[in-house]
Amino acid sequence: CPISESQQSAYQRLLESARTKFGDGWQGIQGQQRVHVFSLITRLRQACCDPGLLPDCTASIEQSGKVQMLLTRLAEALSGNGARKVVVFSQFVQLLRRLKPLLKSQFPDLKLFELDGSTRDRGRPVAEFQAETGPALMLISLRAGGTGITLHAADYVFLMDPWWNPAVEAQAVDRVLRLGQTRTVF
């Protein structure tokens, strides 16, 4: 996905800050500094998803190239005939929370469901999503949705951000590609 100017600016600020802190000698990073590098990588990933995820940034979610691409693809997916069902995964729960009001405004007739680590009864939103007869979308954190659920009513899956371990992504997508899936999944 192309990144916006806001994302590019946030990304460059993070890189410059890292160069100041660590210099160009990445090989010499030891002990506690490795934690800071991991944090930096996470922040760079957040900037690529939505600069508003960064602690010092107040960017609107509409300033994310990735979110704009999602909106375009959702409009395409939901424009077809039939009751399309979409699952959107992200590692960043805050991204899902920021997406929700935008999705409600862009697709007011779309039923929205959520599943993240704070969901008490995981079975309820899953059952409601599965039973929904019209178009529906479920926002799911990768961790909460990676195991123990079946979403074979869905025919579209979006991964908003790649996970460190591709097997975790595959496991999440497999929630849709379960026994009983009769649709082509995109």
Side-chain angles (χ1 to χ4, degrees):
C1 299
I3 62 173
S4 68
E5 287 181 29
S6 176
Q7 287 175 285
Q8 180 67 32
S9 175
Y11 196 92
Q12 288 300 333
R13 273 195 321 274
L14 289 165
L15 284 179
E16 290 305 317
S17 173
R19 283 189 184 112
T20 301
K21 188 172 191 168
F22 303 117
D24 288 328
W26 293 92
Q27 309 85 304
I29 294 175
Q30 301 281 328
Q32 192 67 13
Q33 285 184 318
R34 288 183 181 160
V35 172
H36 296 295
V37 171
F38 181 73
S39 177
L40 168 67
I41 293 169
T42 299
R43 295 287 182 227
L44 290 169
R45 293 176 69 232
Q46 288 174 321
C48 290
C49 286
D50 169 19
L53 296 175
L54 299 171
D56 60 343
C57 189
T58 59
S60 165
I61 191 163
E62 288 94 352
Q63 294 177 338
S64 164
K66 196 172 270 195
V67 169
Q68 290 304 317
M69 181 67 73
L70 174 67
L71 293 175
T72 299
R73 297 294 185 233
L74 281 176
E76 292 170 2
L78 297 170
S79 68
N81 292 335
R84 301 286 187 189
K85 299 226 181 142
V86 179
V87 177
V88 176
F89 286 105
S90 178
Q91 165 192 352
F92 303 113
V93 174
Q94 188 60 28
L95 176 61
L96 299 175
R97 289 187 181 133
R98 287 175 53 85
L99 271 173
K100 186 178 177 182
L102 178 63
L103 293 171
K104 280 185 175 185
S105 71
Q106 295 287 319
F107 306 98
D109 297 329
L110 184 66
K111 291 281 278 191
L112 283 175
F113 300 92
E114 297 174 86
L115 183 64
D116 64 33
S118 66
T119 306
R120 295 275 183 230
D121 179 5
R122 291 169 32 104
R124 184 175 179 194
V126 170
E128 290 174 357
F129 177 82
Q130 291 287 99
E132 179 59 41
T133 57
L137 186 143
M138 181 170 278
L139 299 168
I140 307 178
S141 71
L142 271 173
R143 282 209 156 160
T147 58
I149 61 172
T150 298
L151 298 166
H152 56 65
D155 43 10
Y156 285 85
V157 177
F158 292 93
L159 294 165
M160 292 300 290
D161 43 275
W163 188 260
W164 303 111
N165 180 352
V168 172
E169 288 178 19
Q171 190 174 15
V173 172
D174 284 348
R175 303 303 99 203
V176 175
L177 300 172
R178 306 288 283 185
L179 288 175
Q181 178 59 272
T182 58
R183 305 169 189 242
T184 300
V185 177
F186 300 93

